[in-house]
Amino acid sequence: MSAVISALPGEIISVDPSTGEELGRVPSYTTDEVEAALARSREAFAGWRATSFAARRALVMAAREVILGELDEIAGLISAETGKPVAEALAMEVAPVLDLMRHFADSAEKMLRPRRIGIGLYSLFGRTSKIIYHPLGPVAIIPAWNFPFSIPLGEATMALMAGNSVLIKPSELTPMVGVKIGEIFQRGGAAAGLVQILTGAGDTGAALVKAGPAKVMFTGSVATGKKILATAAEKMTPVVLELGGKDPMIVFEDADLELAAGGAVWGAFCNSGQACSSVERLYVHESVAGVFTRMVVEKTRRLKQGRGTDDDVSVGAMTSEAQLYKVEEHVADFVRSGAVIETGGRRVEMDGTFFEPTVISGASNEMLGMREETFGPTLPIAKFATEAEAIELANDSKFGLTASVWTRDAAKGRRVAEQIEAGTVCVNEVLYTHGIGQTPWGGVKNSGRGRTHGIDGLMELVEPRHIHLNRIALLPNAWWFPYSRLAKETFKAFATHFASGSMVRFSRMVPLLHRRINEVKRSGSEGKNAD
Ligand code: NAD
């Protein structure tokens, strides 16, 4: 079974991966249609950029109300298109994005208020500097399929609050959720062209990047991220990349093992392991490895797997057949390499793309499933002996999205967290901070560039511009023409006295500065006399 089959050219069929049933059809936008949409977006931007924060807030809050009025339908649609349980769609997508919408609706104005900046001794000459934040223009949002509602909707909200227009190219695996986001904004009162949904596959996404939006917010694989960067370079379009992960979890011997085991099982198997911040490598101290692995296995065996519409199902279908094959390949490699499947390990014998939650012991960093992103329900466990070794193993990866450290010793937790190469490191928590819209989200190494969420994420969606003002512009500057022996002497004093930042030292060069300014002034008036 294939989750998406293109029946006719120019058409995408959306399929429920847990049943194989068709959910609907959407058009695939052509290059010409993408360019026309970008032109409409530019027109909408011209009006939207001039709106007040109150007007932007009103739109976002109205869109929020539309979602609140349709919680069940929306969660049901997310579940149907991705395979995840309805409960998980509510917990991990709908609730967090509603929180994010409220937060940025309330706080964007304050975050983007013009900001006065200190300019040290230059202020003695009556100068001031401030930063103002301009919107960018049409922002292209190209998300993956794993959180098809919360990721593009959160980014769209932030872009709109910053005064931008938005074009979303949803994943071809979850186009109906994308269309729903457009409908939500439309019903919330968005002007024509302000939020557009351009359904299609990779070629539509490529056409959108090539068309030259003001910014590209991309979420997806490293391979596609590289292609987008290359295309964006043609027009020097700025890009934020939210890419893959291979996120480590470190469990020390003094951790609350029961809690850590629960965190590991949820962190590895929620969304069938298809979260960029899923626990994909677990390192446990050798002294507790046996007991901890048993706890994890026991909790995993208790998980009910099935259709996301059943209330007591915790693990749903994987979103695509291709993803399932990758999991099979990684599990087979673990077995070949001598690791042990403690539970799971196979595709489930039922309709739909289900893979058993799988716990693997005896894993090591050389194995394929410890190096490449699996993006499926596997939890490989390896052992470590010392704190230094745990850090080294965790950092031995080309990815660096999130990580977690589990210990009852808060000082040790912080110490280890600060040495791990990742965009976010949690201590005694796992995976969920994408749900806290106030905190920055993004990776280091191959996990990405730039940030979404938090004030850092909002700053990606604006252009800071510097306004520098001389309030008492009566005299020429000492560094203007003509240069002379006196000029050289003054500039040396700038280097030794002014640049020291010390008022006392600066005061010693004032007479020199005075003479030099007079020199520049005189030369100006000589020029005038010559005329
Ligand atoms: P993908 O790279 O195949 O596709 C992502 C999006 O890019 C889709 O909408 C796709 O249609 C589009 N696309 C494909 N080719 C394109 C091109 N040449 N130009 C422009 N757009 C193009 O990724 P995927 O399989 O949808 O997503 C899985 C990946 O996403 C995983 O690696 C996962 O870790 C990552 N992810 C990262 C985060 C994060 O926040 N860091 C969040 C979710 C998912």
Side-chain angles (χ1 to χ4, degrees):
M1 189 199 74
S2 165
V4 168
I5 327 134
S6 251
L8 295 168
E11 189 180 58
I12 286 183
I13 301 181
S14 166
V15 172
D16 180 337
S18 65
T19 61
E21 283 163 20
E22 180 179 325
L23 294 169
R25 291 170 186 236
V26 295
S28 186
Y29 275 63
T30 62
T31 300
D32 286 350
E33 287 164 342
V34 166
E35 284 168 0
L38 182 60
R40 282 196 299 278
S41 193
R42 288 201 179 104
E43 275 170 34
F45 170 64
W48 184 249
R49 68 176 307 166
T51 53
S52 65
F53 280 100
R56 298 176 196 171
R57 181 180 189 281
L59 171 62
V60 170
M61 294 309 277
R64 244 184 129 259
E65 285 306 314
V66 174
I67 300 170
L68 284 167
E70 283 188 16
L71 281 184
D72 291 331
E73 292 88 335
I74 291 172
L77 175 62
I78 298 170
S79 166
E81 233 179 15
T82 59
K84 69 179 75 180
V86 172
E88 203 165 82
L90 284 166
M92 294 187 74
E93 297 219 53
V94 182
V97 82
L98 285 170
D99 193 43
L100 179 149
M101 292 170 90
R102 180 201 47 73
H103 170 64
F104 283 101
D106 289 345
S107 314
E109 181 172 12
K110 194 167 158 216
M111 292 176 183
L112 297 177
R113 201 169 275 161
R115 187 166 56 90
R116 181 95 177 250
I117 50 174
I119 53 173
L121 296 183
Y122 287 99
S123 59
L124 296 176
F125 306 127
R127 328 276 157 118
T128 58
S129 272
K130 72 172 179 177
I131 306 288
I132 55 171
Y133 298 100
H134 275 253
L136 302 172
V139 172
I141 299 174
I142 304 180
W145 41 263
N146 60 338
F147 290 95
F149 191 66
S150 58
I151 291 180
L153 177 52
E155 290 175 359
T157 296
M158 293 173 66
L160 290 168
M161 284 308 302
N164 302 293
S165 54
V166 165
L167 302 134
I168 300 175
K169 203 301 284 174
S171 166
E172 55 275 38
L173 295 181
T174 51
M176 310 273 290
V177 174
V179 169
K180 188 75 196 175
I181 293 172
E183 186 196 313
I184 287 166
F185 279 114
Q186 192 194 9
R187 283 170 51 196
L194 185 62
V195 179
Q196 296 179 72
I197 311 299
L198 317 181
T199 45
D203 51 346
T204 302
L208 179 55
V209 178
K210 205 170 169 53
K215 180 121 190 180
V216 177
M217 304 291 291
F218 172 72
T219 306
S221 61
V222 175
T224 308
K226 285 182 182 173
K227 284 187 206 162
I228 286 180
L229 264 188
T231 307
E234 288 167 21
K235 290 190 172 153
M236 299 224 298
T237 306
V239 176
V240 165
L241 300 174
E242 297 290 354
L243 309 177
K246 193 75 203 166
D247 298 4
M249 171 169 178
I250 298 175
V251 181
F252 283 102
E253 63 277 28
D254 65 346
D256 179 332
L257 295 185
E258 180 64 30
L259 203 65
V265 171
W266 182 73
F269 303 133
C270 69
N271 209 20
S272 272
Q274 302 165 117
C276 48
S277 49
S278 292
V279 176
E280 293 228 353
R281 296 177 288 148
L282 194 146
Y283 302 104
V284 57
H285 190 266
E286 58 187 7
S287 65
V288 294
V291 61
F292 182 76
T293 303
R294 277 196 296 283
M295 285 176 172
V296 166
V297 168
E298 195 198 308
K299 286 181 193 300
T300 303
R301 288 196 178 130
R302 286 207 297 265
L303 296 174
K304 184 166 171 204
Q305 191 166 26
R307 286 199 64 188
T309 39
D310 294 345
D311 282 347
D312 58 349
V313 158
S314 292
V315 181
M318 298 194 65
T319 305
S320 75
E321 190 86 18
Q323 210 44 57
L324 196 146
Y325 289 147
K326 193 166 178 199
V327 176
E328 284 180 330
E329 185 195 346
H330 283 200
V331 169
D333 185 77
F334 275 122
V335 173
R336 264 196 309 274
S337 312
V340 176
I341 307 296
E342 298 283 349
T343 184
R346 287 172 306 137
R347 183 183 183 135
V348 180
E349 294 300 325
M350 59 194 269
D351 281 347
T353 43
F354 293 90
F355 195 89
E356 294 173 342
T358 300
V359 179
I360 299 148
S361 64
S364 69
N365 275 11
E366 298 71 48
M367 298 174 185
L368 178 70
M370 295 287 273
R371 304 209 71 75
E372 299 299 328
E373 186 180 43
T374 309
F375 221 51
T378 54
L379 178 55
I381 303 179
K383 295 187 229 174
F384 67 88
T386 64
E387 184 178 312
E389 190 194 359
I391 295 167
E392 198 183 315
L393 288 169
N395 287 341
D396 174 27
S397 172
K398 59 189 172 190
F399 293 105
L401 188 55
T402 79
S404 72
V405 181
W406 296 73
T407 169
R408 284 196 174 92
D409 178 345
K412 176 161 80 176
R414 269 197 296 270
R415 182 173 71 231
V416 173
E418 285 172 16
Q419 294 176 75
I420 292 183
E421 295 156 359
T424 295
V425 186
C426 295
V427 180
N428 298 326
E429 278 304 338
V430 68
L431 187 142
Y432 85 115
T433 64
H434 189 271
I436 312 176
Q438 290 87 342
T439 62
W441 183 262
V444 301
K445 299 182 180 172
N446 276 7
S447 288
R449 296 289 180 274
R451 293 292 177 265
T452 56
H453 293 186
I455 192 160
D456 306 87
L458 193 64
M459 289 300 152
E460 298 277 5
L461 296 159
V462 288
E463 203 167 60
R465 297 202 192 153
H466 172 203
I467 308 294
H468 184 71
L469 170 70
N470 183 352
R471 280 179 290 117
I472 45 171
L474 300 170
L475 296 170
N477 281 312
W479 51 84
W480 288 2
F481 294 136
Y483 298 152
S484 63
R485 182 182 292 272
L486 178 62
K488 239 168 97 183
E489 210 184 315
T490 314
F491 300 163
K492 247 191 202 165
F494 266 114
T496 54
H497 290 62
F498 182 83
S500 74
S502 152
M503 265 297 288
V504 177
R505 295 197 64 176
F506 170 63
S507 64
R508 288 192 209 128
M509 70 172 281
V510 169
L512 180 64
L513 191 59
H514 192 70
R515 276 195 288 138
R516 167 64 186 155
I517 289 173
N518 274 336
E519 182 182 56
V520 179
K521 240 172 91 181
R522 266 200 317 278
S523 85
S525 45
E526 275 161 19
K528 222 181 271 167
N529 293 344
D531 289 343

